């Protein structure tokens, strides 16, 4: 990068206070948790409604970071580092990226649209990389923060850039255009994503088109709605399946379930090419790639040969349970320097072991000479405290000596042949490889073998929902997140690791064994045990958990053990009953509670809490207010008489939204984290977290008069195509969901459940669905949602989520 702090002051028009203006900057950071932060990082302290990175500067200085872009210098940090003081750190990050982009003059492809941006970007990288050294956005880095982070990864060896830009409302694209400055524009599909951010479709098109205002050429699906916003100085290069006057007119025909032939008319000639897809979105994305290659002047023979090799793009990074108590982080479809940095951060955020292994293929398209590249990779490996590197590929094998504790193999087959000699146990394993290395075969070897039904957990959605509820909190209000009941069925430890990464204040579990499991998994956050039995008190103390005390009997029992162990100020949480009548000190026992605690130094009242019975029910609003009033009365009395200053909290998920004036010092977020709300409008704002998926095991057609399942509860009135799915009530699907009440989703179509749900299987009607054995089946997720299922079954979403059996494999992904 070769930029000094002094240069950066000028670039950002900042005010400088610091120790060394000549300090060299070689990378940009916005994440205080990344182990890749170093003395040569320039850290932008971004501030938002949910977090302020200025709070972490003191810790960053302690580990050696010396250069910061800030709006203010935190207390006790002056004269300890270089500070570039600006009005807005996000704007400064974008200014820095725009300046840096201006240092390079090779072609830049800018992509936007509602859908398909990342797919087209990855396919263009595949199609063009034999002839260009490509820099592209890692993963889906297309936001106001992601775009500048992508652009500052350019180096002098690159000669083609491919960057995507995503917006969700007005006045965002202009900022991204200044950073990307594309010479070549590609507009993909314009659909309904983020419609809520725009008045109408025309405004959305107009806003997205701002990315191309100075582009030399624009590739787009022909449409008068688009053409009215094309700069007259920009060459329009259009395609269409319907408009024969488009620059490239395309027709298509399916030749199998997996292949399509595209026939395209271009410059008076007709050509054919085959692509390995039949779905509408993939075909449209492929046509966008075709036009880019035509614009670059490729021979049709080359286009045909390369596009026939297009592949499904795996856009998510998955965290899976592995063999021998391992965690497997599957990023087995790409190997470039920028995405390696991202994957290593994910490895750290999900790591629950002391031992970390990286299985890494040769790295392509870094823009660096190999000597420099693998020196930089080795530095990343060291900074992320990786214990073992397994390199696969001839190039990485040549640089084996750059890494400590490294073993290499020439190819994947060589690794597999030696797999039994390698010890994988009780460790986190990042699998990071270029597609040509077929690392999915390594993932298959290392992942835990379970049946074909999986619950997929979207970690990005959890992060989004957490931030949604954080945005509702008043300043300085803490947040406890409930991870009891195996994280509401979603997986406790993995979610706890993510929440620790997001620096929540507390975790809540129901019983001691749940908290012990989290502590054994490496969780360091304070954990409150809501329903501790007195027999678990010794273990609670041993593992540093914090018990909720809700009765005089429990208090005396805990104080007895605490005294025996000579504890001092051990944190406890006092629960008062304000009307739920489940657990808690009632008003007539509060005086004795106070008398027992007064002068007692073995414990410390860390918090006082209560639980609301009707925070989600407008019909009982007054009762909820009466609970809050009683909580205020009782907690204030305890605080006054004991002369303490504990955390107070009474609000659960619904309470956060419905009683914002009663947030006190902390709130407890539960089901909302997992994407479920009792309020229909709020539900629209949350993202789905869990998708329960299976596959079609077998398809058969039965004649009229035949039955399906136990008790012959379904009788076919006509010939019926029946698919069997390997999931049943032993997996958590209630029998009441059968017999036509419920459905699954196959190929985006509803398939009604036929007859009774069996222990391990259920059968569905696929007479109107073009499907095959092995096709994916959605049991719940977007459709049907758990809320819909709960409503049909006259229960609550909690029960649906927590009923999913432990034999169902959990797969976590970003």
């Amino acid at each position: 990068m070769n930029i000094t702090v002094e240069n950066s002051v000028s670039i950002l028009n900042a005010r400088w206070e610091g120790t060394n203006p000549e300090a060299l900057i070689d990378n940009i950071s916005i994440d205080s948790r990344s182990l890749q932060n170093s003395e040569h990082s320039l850290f932008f302290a971004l501030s938002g409604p949910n977090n302020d990175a200025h709070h972490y500067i003191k810790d960053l200085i302690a580990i050696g970071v010396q250069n910061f872009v800030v709006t203010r210098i935190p207390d006790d940090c002056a004269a300890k580092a270089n500070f570039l003081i600006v009005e807005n750190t996000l704007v400064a990050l974008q200014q820095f990226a725009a300046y840096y982009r201006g240092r390079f003059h090779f072609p830049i492809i800018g992509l936007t649209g509602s859908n398909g941006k990342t797919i087209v970007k990855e396919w263009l990288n595949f199609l063009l990389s034999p002839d260009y050294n490509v820099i592209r956005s890692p993963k889906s880095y297309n936001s106001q923060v992601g775009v500048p982070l992508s652009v500052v990864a350019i180096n002098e060896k690159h000669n083609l850039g491919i960057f995507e830009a995503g917006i969700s409302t007005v006045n965002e694209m202009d900022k991204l255009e200044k950073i990307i400055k594309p010479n070549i524009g590609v507009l993909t599909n314009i659909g309904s994503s983020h419609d809520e951010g725009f008045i109408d479709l025309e405004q959305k098109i107009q806003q997205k088109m701002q990315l191309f205002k100075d582009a030399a050429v624009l590739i787009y699906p022909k449409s008068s709605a688009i053409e009215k916003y094309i700069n007259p100085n920009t060459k329009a290069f259009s395609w269409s399946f319907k408009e024969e006057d488009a620059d490239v007119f395309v027709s298509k025909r399916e030749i199998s379930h997996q292949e399509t032939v595209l026939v395209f008319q271009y410059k008076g000639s007709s050509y054919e090419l085959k692509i390995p897809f039949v779905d509408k979105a993939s075909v449209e994305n492929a046509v966008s790639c075709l036009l880019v290659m035509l614009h670059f002047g490729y021979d049709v023979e080359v286009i045909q040969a390369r596009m026939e090799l297009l592949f499904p793009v795996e856009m998510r990074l998955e965290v899976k349970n592995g063999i021998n108590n391992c965690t497997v982080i599957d990023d087995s479809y790409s190997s470039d320097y920028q995405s390696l940095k991202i994957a290593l951060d994910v490895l750290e955020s999900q790591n629950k072991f002391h031992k970390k292994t990286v299985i890494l293929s040769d790295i392509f398209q870094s823009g660096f000479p190999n000597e420099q590249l693998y020196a930089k990779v080795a530095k990343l490996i060291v900074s992320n405290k990786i214990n073992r590197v397994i390199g696969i590929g001839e190039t990485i094998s040549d640089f084996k000596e750059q890494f400590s504790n490294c073993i290499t193999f020439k190819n994947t087959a060589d690794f597999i042949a030696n797999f039994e000699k390698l010890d994988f146990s009780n460790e986190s394993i990042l699998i990071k490889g270029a597609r040509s290395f077929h690392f999915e075969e390594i993932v298959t070897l290392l992942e835990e073998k379970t049946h074909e039904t999986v619950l997929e957990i979207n970690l990005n959605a959890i992060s989004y929902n957490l931030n949604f509820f954080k945005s509702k909190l008043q300043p300085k209000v803490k947040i406890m997140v409930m991870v009891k009941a195996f994280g509401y069925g979603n997986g406790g430890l993995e979610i706890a690791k993510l929440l620790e990464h997001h620096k929540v204040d507390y975790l809540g579990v129901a019983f001691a064994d749940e908290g012990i499991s989290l502590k054994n998994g490496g969780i360091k956050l304070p954990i409150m045990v809501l329903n501790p039995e007195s027999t678990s008190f010794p273990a609670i103390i041993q593992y540093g958990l914090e018990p909720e005390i809700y009765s005089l009997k429990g208090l005396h029992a805990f104080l007895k053990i605490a005294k025996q162990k000579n504890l001092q100020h051990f944190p406890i949480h006092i629960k008062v009953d304000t009307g739920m009548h489940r657990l808690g000190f009632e008003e007539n026992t509060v005086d004795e509670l106070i008398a027992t605690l007064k002068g007692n130094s073995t414990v410390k009242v860390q918090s006082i809490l209560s639980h609301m019975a009707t925070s989600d029910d407008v019909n009982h609003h007054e009762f909820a207010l009466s609970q809050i009033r009683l909580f205020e009365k009782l907690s204030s009395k305890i605080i006054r008489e004991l002369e303490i200053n504990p955390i107070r909290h009474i609000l659960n998920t619904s309470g956060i939204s419905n009683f914002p004036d009663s947030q006190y010092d902390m709130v407890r977020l539960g089901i909302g984290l997992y994407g479920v709300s009792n309020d229909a409008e709020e539900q629209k704002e949350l993202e789905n977290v869990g998708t329960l998926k299976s596959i079609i095991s077998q398809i058969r057609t039965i004649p009229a008069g035949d039955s399906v399942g136990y008790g012959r509860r379904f009788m076919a009135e006509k010939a019926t195509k029946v698919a069997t799915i390997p999931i049943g009530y032993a997996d958590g699907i209630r029998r009441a969901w059968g017999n036509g009440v419920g459905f699954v989703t196959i190929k985006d179509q509803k398939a009604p459940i036929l007859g009774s749900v069996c222990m391990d299987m259920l059968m569905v009607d696929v007479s109107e669905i073009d499907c095959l054995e092995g096709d994916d089946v959605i049991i719940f997720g977007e459709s049907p949602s758990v809320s819909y299922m709960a409503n049909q079954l006259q229960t609550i979403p909690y029960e649906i989520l927590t009923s999913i059996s432990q034999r169902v494999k959990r797969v976590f992904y970003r």
Side-chain angles (χ1 to χ4, degrees), residues 89-131:
T89 50
L90 174 58
V91 171
L93 174 64
Q94 294 169 341
Q95 288 173 338
F96 188 94
Y99 161 81
Y100 191 74
R101 160 68 179 91
R103 296 172 61 176
F104 301 92
H105 304 289
F106 52 77
I108 297 286
I109 300 173
L111 299 118
T112 194
S114 299
N115 308 102
K117 298 183 291 293
T118 302
I119 302 290
V120 172
K121 178 197 68 185
E122 293 299 320
W123 282 354
L124 286 176
N125 175 64
F126 167 76
L127 294 166
L128 301 176
S129 60
D131 311 299

Side-chain angles (χ1 to χ4, degrees), residues 25 53 56 270 290 298 325 330 363 421 432 468 488 502 504 569 580 632 636 655 674 680 758 762:
I25 305 299
Y56 311 122
S270 180
L290 165 65
Y298 279 92
N325 195 37
D330 177 7
I363 296 175
K421 301 175 186 177
K432 181 74 176 156
F468 172 79
Y488 289 72
H502 281 295
V504 303
H569 306 297
M580 180 79 169
E632 173 65 29
S636 295
Y674 307 100
C758 306
L762 56 82

Side-chain angles (χ1 to χ4, degrees), residues 166-312:
I167 59 171
S168 56
T169 189
V170 298
N171 301 322
E172 290 184 341
M173 189 61 84
D174 184 59
K175 300 169 186 175
L176 301 185
E177 189 276 336
K178 288 181 172 66
I179 301 168
I180 298 174
K181 281 292 177 188
N183 318 103
I184 303 161
V186 178
L187 181 66
T188 64
N189 168 277
I190 297 289
S192 59
S193 297
H194 300 295
D195 270 357
E196 64 277 7
F198 304 95
I199 296 173
D200 52 25
L201 180 62
E202 181 171 357
Q203 186 186 53
K204 178 191 282 190
I205 293 172
Q206 183 266 332
Q207 291 288 311
K208 288 184 179 291
M209 290 293 288
Q210 289 184 22
L211 179 63
F212 313 123
K213 64 182 183 181
D214 292 324
V217 62
L218 172 63
I219 293 164
Y220 69 102
K222 186 171 179 60
S223 163
S224 57
I226 293 170
E227 287 163 349
K228 66 191 291 187
Y229 294 108
I230 298 177
N231 185 329
N233 297 321
T234 297
K235 177 188 174 184
F237 191 25
S238 64
W239 62 268
S240 180
F241 293 119
K242 298 177 181 178
E243 308 288 336
E244 295 189 16
D245 62 339
D247 295 300
V248 179
F249 177 65
V250 187
S251 58
K252 57 185 177 178
R253 67 174 187 273
E254 290 183 23
I255 56 174
S256 72
H257 278 288
Q258 297 178 322
E259 292 181 307
T260 300
V261 169
L262 299 178
V263 180
F264 64 97
Q265 314 291 327
Y266 177 57
K267 291 186 175 179
S269 298
S270 180
Y271 308 93
E272 287 191 4
L273 63 86
K274 185 166 62 176
I275 57 173
F277 301 99
V278 296
D279 64 286
K280 180 174 181 282
S282 295
V283 171
E284 289 183 0
N285 292 334
V287 173
S288 292
C289 294
L290 165 65
L291 265 73
V292 172
M293 296 191 78
L294 291 172
H295 170 71
F296 273 75
Y298 279 92
D299 290 338
V300 172
E301 293 79 7
V302 174
I303 297 174
Q304 291 167 332
R306 292 186 187 178
M307 291 192 65
E308 192 170 350
L309 300 176
L310 289 178
F311 47 84

Side-chain angles (χ1 to χ4, degrees), residues 617-743:
D617 192 340
V618 295
N619 295 318
H620 294 285
H621 187 76
E622 185 53 42
F623 178 79
L625 291 176
S626 72
Q627 281 197 268
I628 293 169
R629 288 193 293 269
L630 183 56
F631 177 67
E632 173 65 29
K633 175 184 175 182
L634 298 182
S635 61
S636 295
K637 181 176 182 178
I638 295 169
I639 290 169
R640 183 174 60 253
E641 304 242 356
L642 293 179
E643 297 180 336
I644 57 176
N645 185 30
I647 299 167
R648 289 195 286 178
H649 48 113
I650 188 173
L651 298 185
N652 56 4
T653 295
S654 298
I656 293 171
S657 300
N658 295 335
F659 298 92
D661 295 332
S662 301
Q663 293 176 358
Y664 286 96
D665 307 299
M666 186 162 71
V667 297
R668 301 188 301 272
L669 177 60
I671 194 75
L673 182 76
Y674 307 100
V676 177
S677 172
N678 290 300
D679 180 83
E681 290 305 310
E682 185 172 84
Q683 183 65 60
K684 296 176 184 177
E685 300 291 333
L686 299 178
E687 292 192 357
N688 179 66
V689 169
T691 300
L692 184 59
K693 297 177 70 173
S694 192
I695 64 165
I696 298 175
S697 293
Q698 191 176 37
I699 296 176
R700 60 171 53 79
T701 299
I702 63 172
D706 273 19
S707 61
V708 173
Y710 288 116
R712 307 194 75 194
R713 290 184 176 87
F714 172 78
M715 302 291 294
E717 297 179 357
K718 59 181 180 180
T720 304
K721 187 165 68 168
V722 180
T724 300
I725 318 298
I727 185 172
Y729 59 77
D731 300 293
I733 306 304
R734 288 175 52 176
R735 294 183 74 247
W737 188 235
N739 296 307
V741 174
F743 66 90

Side-chain angles (χ1 to χ4, degrees), residues 26-59:
D26 70 4
N27 71 87
I28 301 302
S29 176
I30 63 165
D31 188 350
S32 64
R33 301 158 297 192
S34 175
L35 296 180
Q36 296 157 33
N37 290 313
S38 72
E39 63 177 314
H40 297 301
S41 299
L42 180 59
F43 183 85
F44 285 77
L46 302 185
S47 301
N50 310 311
N51 206 358
D52 184 353
H54 291 78
H55 297 321
Y56 311 122
I57 288 176
K58 187 175 181 180
D59 294 336

Side-chain angles (χ1 to χ4, degrees), residues 7 205 356 471 579 584 627 781:
N7 297 147
I205 293 172
K356 294 184 285 188
S471 71
Q627 281 197 268

Side-chain angles (χ1 to χ4, degrees), residues 505-533:
D505 300 285
Y506 259 91
L507 298 178
V509 298
F511 299 105
D513 56 352
E514 295 176 313
I516 291 169
S517 176
L518 295 180
K519 288 294 185 182
N520 283 336
I523 298 298
K524 296 179 176 60
L525 283 174
I527 300 173
M528 175 178 154
V529 182
L530 281 78
N531 305 328
E533 296 121 334

